[in-house]
Amino acid sequence: MCNSCAFYHFAAVFLSLNHLLHGYEKKGDIERAKSEGKELTKEEKQRLRKEKKQQKKSKEKKDDKVIQESGKETRGDSSAASPPQPSSQSTAQKAPSAVPPPVSVPAPEAPTPADKPAKSKAELKAERRARQEAERASKQSKKGDPGPQGAVSKSKAATNELQPVVKRLPEHIQVDNPDVLKKLAKKLERQQTPGQNSAKKIPLRLDYGYKVSLFSHLHQYSRKAPLTQQLSIPSTVIHPAIVRLGLQYSQGIVAGSNARSVALLHAFKQVIRDYTTPPNEELSRDLVNRLKPYISFLNQCRPLSASMGNAIKYVKKEISNIPSQCKEEEAKHKLLKCIECYIKDKIILAATAIAESSIEKISDGDVILIYGCSSLVNHILCEALEKNRKFRVIVVDSRPRLEGREALRRLVQRGISCTYVLISAVSYILPEVSKVFLGAHALLANGYVMSRVGTSQIALVAKAFNVPVLVCCETYKFCERVQTDSFVSNELDDPDDLIVTRNGHTQLENWQQEPSLGLLNLVYDVTPPDFVDLVITELGMIPCTSVPVVLRVKNVDQ
Amino acid sequence: MELQAVLMAAGGGSRMTDLTYNTPKPMLPVGNKPLMWYPLNLLERVGFEEVIVITTKEVQKMMSTDSRMKRDIKMKMEVVCVPEDGDMGTADALRHIQQKIKTDILVVSCDLITDVALHEVVDLFRAHNATLAMLMSKAHEFTETVPGQKGKKRTAEQRDFVGVDQSGKRLLFMANEADLEDGLSVRKSIIRKHPRMHIKTGLVDAHLYCLKKAVVDFLTENKSISSIRGELVPYLVRKQFSKTPNSQKVKEDLEDQTQKKNDCSTNHELLISSRDEPLLQLAQERSCWNDHRGDMSEAYHGGKLRCYVHIMEQGLCYRVNTLAAYIEANRQAPKLFEEPPVHPSAVISERCQVGSDSIIGERCQIAEKTSIKRSTIGISSNVKEKVKVTNSIVMHSVTIEEGCNIQGSVICSNAIIGRGADLKYCLVGNGQRIEPEAERTNEVIVGTDQLMEI
């Protein structure tokens, strides 16, 4: 036997010995408990179960290791990994009794094997088991402080990328599952702002109307039932700026990805300004907890957009990066500055950069087609006019939002000559068009473009006519989600928006009484990257499939 | 803190002096609760925890002795007394408490009885960042006969003309008939911005206003404004459409310029912008929303001062400032609360008929063979045998001797109705005695000292 194999063998024997030793110790405890009091507590029962599992696994491991060592080549890193493994396993056994030390021990040790694929199956299993025990132990202890444990478990999850982690579906696309709804209600109850009595909690907004079955897993709210009717009027649970923002979202006064993010950051600035650290708390942790109920509230008023999600992540990261010895005034000042910088860099300067790149693509005599009202595309066209490009614009619009009218107003006010059509006429008008500029709500990690419903139609028809489609999008709207269809994750708007009154008649007034009639008011759809020719971002003009690269670069930067 | 509540309870009740010469208006019993209980209950139900009550010393004394106020109202009431004699208008009162006001305010009048969903008004205030949001309701005709009214001739109530936009929420125009001489004139600037305006009459102003803090600061500067409803609200509504300082399209001569300078200074206070105004501006620019369409201007026509109104179509909304309103409110108010109509401590003998829509107060004593229909009997009142009370309001500590017949009347506190009296559509003032076997119809019976007051 070669040296390494001998070492493995020794390690395996050590492992099994350790197991048996500890197993006997614990067994002794349990025997004692059994003889003393006849009932085994829940903890001890679980411990028993664990012992049995471990013994089974150690037997399997021994077999595995024997097989592996005969087949594998030497890997220096793995040998370094295996001695820490027994210690982690032994500490993991003590997990039920003392949670923080053993949980932290595997975490720093896990990154040491730099060669991730080199981990043997046994080590993977051991780490998984350690994590399970840690989670079980944390569930047994009180739910008071999930913060540090959550952070630690998250760091573990991040480092163990190869772990087959079961990704749970987000709650907002599981509305037809009553268990998930109950969980959401409980989560809102728990998320009351600290220090308030339990009567004041974030209200739960109820769904409205019959939902079309394909989309019954999404929320559908009515604009006439705002969330504020369940809140007290001088709102104490939620900061007034956030209540105002939620109202503006749900009534559509602030609409559009950029506008919503800017308004959100403005409201966060006010929250931070009015915030005072309670005694015995740290700003970096307490402020993040303070923001959680506000975010749930905003989510219920209107589901968060990808840009808002990224902005929130940034703000939370900045808050938690505040050093603990920083004074409150200084910390607040720093946070406000960070938010201002974020807006300046990611929204305002990005728009300028994108406009500059896009103007190169606009030549004299162009006929440009735009859809709906995208603030970025409007900005680009106005800038192009300033640079004395000669072009005309065709604005395509669709019901029920009819946002194109607002885009039309803004362009005509500047002096651009425009044509206005509804989306049903797009194939009629396309032979005249030389380029299509589209805005995006989010760019997904597989290159799909999520934008207002109707965009994919326009891209499809444009592709059929061989007209180039350019999507303009800032990088802060890039999101790590992957979607290939518009069903899985979408937003359902108020179905009553589809009802129209003409000549005093409202045909769909009693649509709820018709048993087989459902009104569907979708907000977003996804466009495949085959239909998009170019994505213009502030980092340059990239093809749609390079979005994951940008995401990766962004993550490395941060 | 988002909103501070201010309750105006210093009013005199000038339109129903017969009722108020002894009891101040805020403490008049309606459904056996003092009148100011209703707006306080509304504020408490909605979630207010503190309220500033502006009232007179007399009312403050009565408030502290009234058990119902102490028991039912859990909010913290900060009472500010103002002198009784002065012509202190509501705006003057706001100026008086300017030091206590730290945020936007919600001003309520003490004589408002309503079951409005208050979030409708406040949501308008919040969502549109409005300077003023108020509540109005469709007026109901009062059907009950009012005691003391001679015939059907009603004094012509001065009508209010209220102009709202297409959506029915934005307040464009407000004028009272008394101020208009020969016609209703609407400024061209309003018509240009809002070509479709609905002008409504027949609306009752509930005197419930959400005002921005900047307005209170503005009031301290401009001491000429003394009434909120009479002067401040029309002023704000007019100012929505006044020319802003940075309109470059209008050519002005020097005179106009100086006038505009004065306007600018007043405008400046009202338009005190919040911090981070550029961010809000950016969000509004990027947002694809507009409150109107058809012209080239941005949302709200670029105006920073906005007034909104919520018009209630259904539901109760009464302002108890006339006798007719008082009677009507007594009929409808029981619907607002769920207390049993007959108080448990009232002693009612078995052989009397008490209708289901009657309210009997605490410690009343109703003797046998009485019939009480559609009426309110106040606290500690004593109704002897064989009395018929129909459609009437009997206040506290009234004694009604045997055999009386009271119909459609209002009997104020501490009155004594003699035996066998027959009162139809009468108003008996405070502490009056009606001699036995009297027959009065459609009369206002008050003390002689009261007759001297005008």
Side-chain angles (χ1 to χ4, degrees), chain B residues 334-346:
Chain B
K335 298 189 190 137
L336 275 183
F337 50 88
E338 300 97 31
E339 277 179 21
V342 177
H343 200 277
S345 69

Side-chain angles (χ1 to χ4, degrees), chain B residues 303-317:
Chain B
K304 299 251 173 34
L305 214 174
R306 305 184 269 275
C307 299
Y308 283 86
V309 62
H310 173 69
I311 300 181
M312 270 174 79
E313 305 279 327
Q314 296 146 345
L316 288 176
C317 181

Side-chain angles (χ1 to χ4, degrees), chain A residues 228 233 248 253 409-410 413, chain B residues 46 123 126-127 285 287 296:
Chain A
T228 48
I233 288 267
Q248 289 179 331
I253 296 175
R409 176 190 77 77
R410 287 179 198 196
Q413 197 185 27
Chain B
V46 172
D123 278 352
R126 289 166 175 155
E285 270 170 41
S287 169
M296 280 293 167

Side-chain angles (χ1 to χ4, degrees), chain A residues 41 57 80 109 131 163 167 187 243 270 289 367 452:
Chain A
T41 62
K57 278 190 182 164
E109 284 175 1
R131 218 184 327 119
Q163 299 298 327
K167 280 215 168 102
K187 183 178 114 171
V243 176
Q270 287 183 299
N289 285 342
V367 180
R452 185 68 80 220

Side-chain angles (χ1 to χ4, degrees), chain A residues 42-301:
Chain A
K42 208 168 154 194
E43 290 172 321
E44 305 199 4
K45 276 192 199 153
Q46 281 189 343
R47 232 185 289 159
L48 240 184
R49 253 181 271 147
K50 240 183 285 159
E51 301 315 314
K52 291 197 186 139
K53 249 196 240 172
Q54 278 173 7
Q55 282 170 13
K56 244 194 261 174
K57 278 190 182 164
S58 68
K59 283 197 194 124
E60 284 176 20
K61 245 192 217 192
K62 238 200 313 183
D63 299 338
D64 276 350
K65 284 233 163 174
V66 168
I67 298 171
Q68 277 173 12
E69 68 193 57
S70 52
K72 277 187 190 154
E73 295 169 10
T74 53
R75 267 168 259 128
D77 300 352
S78 322
S79 63
S82 44
Q85 284 314 312
S87 58
S88 73
Q89 280 177 349
S90 57
T91 50
Q93 280 185 357
K94 294 199 192 109
S97 40
V99 178
V103 165
S104 50
V105 161
E109 284 175 1
T112 48
D115 213 12
K116 297 280 166 65
K119 271 201 199 139
S120 62
K121 220 162 136 190
E123 286 148 29
L124 291 174
K125 275 195 196 159
E127 280 170 296
R128 220 183 305 146
R129 208 184 317 131
R131 218 184 327 119
Q132 276 178 6
E133 280 158 40
E135 280 176 12
R136 215 177 290 140
S138 64
K139 269 191 212 158
Q140 284 175 15
S141 58
K142 284 185 207 140
K143 278 181 186 168
D145 198 10
Q149 282 187 7
V152 172
S153 55
K154 273 208 181 99
S155 64
K156 280 182 64 171
T159 49
N160 305 342
E161 280 162 15
L162 283 190
Q163 299 298 327
V165 178
V166 173
K167 280 215 168 102
R168 272 186 244 114
L169 287 169
E171 288 157 346
H172 64 271
I173 57 168
Q174 276 193 304
V175 175
D176 51 353
N177 188 346
D179 296 333
V180 172
L181 284 179
K182 260 190 254 169
K183 251 199 247 171
L184 175 64
K186 268 204 199 144
K187 183 178 114 171
L188 288 175
E189 270 183 39
R190 268 189 283 126
Q191 265 186 1
Q192 67 211 22
T193 41
Q196 308 278 356
N197 60 11
S198 58
K200 303 179 184 173
K201 53 184 198 273
I202 318 292
L204 180 68
R205 197 173 183 191
L206 296 171
D207 282 355
Y208 165 77
Y210 170 71
K211 286 190 269 192
V212 172
S213 58
L214 263 178
F215 293 94
S216 58
H217 61 283
L218 300 169
H219 283 291
Q220 180 171 282
Y221 300 125
S222 165
R223 198 157 297 138
K224 294 199 206 76
L227 203 46
T228 48
Q229 68 191 43
Q230 300 172 41
L231 284 178
S232 67
I233 288 267
S235 74
T236 41
V237 179
I238 301 180
H239 192 276
I242 303 277
V243 176
R244 173 174 300 166
L245 188 65
L247 264 177
Q248 289 179 331
Y249 282 165
S250 60
Q251 292 182 10
I253 296 175
V254 175
S257 194
N258 281 338
R260 284 165 75 186
S261 310
V262 172
L264 176 72
L265 291 170
H266 167 79
F268 275 177
K269 278 179 86 169
Q270 287 183 299
V271 169
I272 291 176
R273 257 194 219 110
D274 294 339
Y275 170 77
T276 48
T277 326
N280 306 330
E281 294 275 356
E282 267 192 40
L283 184 138
S284 54
R285 285 206 204 115
D286 187 61
L287 187 52
V288 177
N289 285 342
R290 197 66 76 89
L291 288 179
K292 277 199 195 130
Y294 299 164
I295 294 167
S296 318
F297 173 77
L298 290 176
N299 202 8
Q300 297 218 75
C301 289

Side-chain angles (χ1 to χ4, degrees), chain B residues 20-48:
Chain B
T20 55
Y21 71 86
N22 209 320
T23 326
K25 186 171 85 160
M27 298 305 285
L28 274 181
V30 173
N32 285 342
K33 292 198 209 289
L35 183 55
M36 62 193 291
W37 183 88
Y38 290 89
L40 285 173
N41 184 37
L42 173 70
L43 291 174
E44 193 175 352
R45 256 187 299 128
V46 172
F48 276 93

